[in-house]
Amino acid sequence: MPDSARKRPLLAAVLGLVYPGLGHVYLREWARALLWFGLIILTGSLMIPDGVYPTTLTVDSLMQMSRAMPLRAVVALSAVTGMNMVDAYILASRNNEATQRVADGTQCPSCGREVDPDLEFCHWCTTKLNGEPEEN
């Protein structure tokens, strides 16, 4: 299997820790990335009280914000971030396994069903498996 097709599950999880949805961008899972981006923004807007937001963006104001944040907000944001990291890791691992099965010839690259490696075509969707284009 070419290295370009493999994705690193740990990198996807670490990117999800940096900002939820970023690991899914790395995996090119655009809909899931938007879902996680939106979910973390929604969680923050619902759980963090208005008085906690700093008026200026300095290191001191961000430290004060982190100290003033209620525990329920920290738990909720941590839970969303953790679930995002697990989802990115599992998704990358599953994609790597599926790519390996296609490279081994045990899964059809078109329909994704299991195929007999001795055949030159998928008996489910009739796609040629040897990589040669079909003649019309």
Side-chain angles (χ1 to χ4, degrees), residues 1-17 22-29 84-97 99:
M1 170 175 32
D3 287 338
S4 62
R6 291 187 58 83
K7 298 294 182 181
R8 298 178 184 170
L10 190 58
L11 177 59
V14 169
L15 287 171
L17 177 63
L22 209 52
H24 293 85
V25 169
Y26 165 69
L27 298 173
R28 297 179 182 216
E29 293 287 337
N84 164 66
M85 291 171 62
V86 168
D87 184 50
Y89 185 89
I90 291 172
L91 189 62
S93 297
R94 285 185 183 163
N95 284 347
N96 286 343
E97 289 172 8
T99 305

Side-chain angles (χ1 to χ4, degrees), residues 67-95:
R67 287 187 206 107
M69 199 175 311
L71 180 62
R72 64 184 172 84
V74 172
V75 169
L77 292 170
S78 298
V80 170
T81 302
M83 288 185 292
N84 164 66
M85 291 171 62
V86 168
D87 184 50
Y89 185 89
I90 291 172
L91 189 62
S93 297
R94 285 185 183 163
N95 284 347

Side-chain angles (χ1 to χ4, degrees), residues 28-129:
R28 297 179 182 216
E29 293 287 337
W30 310 115
R32 282 189 177 197
L34 286 174
L35 179 107
W36 286 109
F37 284 145
L39 187 59
I40 197 71
I41 289 171
L42 179 67
T43 303
S45 65
L46 292 176
M47 301 301 286
I48 300 173
D50 290 335
V52 174
Y53 292 110
T55 55
T56 60
L57 285 178
T58 63
V59 174
D60 290 334
S61 65
L62 291 175
M63 291 299 290
Q64 288 175 355
M65 177 186 168
S66 67
R67 287 187 206 107
M69 199 175 311
L71 180 62
R72 64 184 172 84
V74 172
V75 169
L77 292 170
S78 298
V80 170
T81 302
M83 288 185 292
N84 164 66
M85 291 171 62
V86 168
D87 184 50
Y89 185 89
I90 291 172
L91 189 62
S93 297
R94 285 185 183 163
N95 284 347
N96 286 343
E97 289 172 8
T99 305
Q100 183 64 46
R101 286 193 304 269
V102 169
D104 292 344
T106 60
Q107 184 177 12
C108 175
S110 180
C111 69
R113 291 184 163 173
E114 197 169 319
V115 296
D116 185 358
D118 296 333
L119 295 178
E120 294 182 6
F121 65 94
C122 172
H123 58 280
W124 298 102
C125 68
T126 68
T127 300
K128 285 186 148 271
L129 298 176

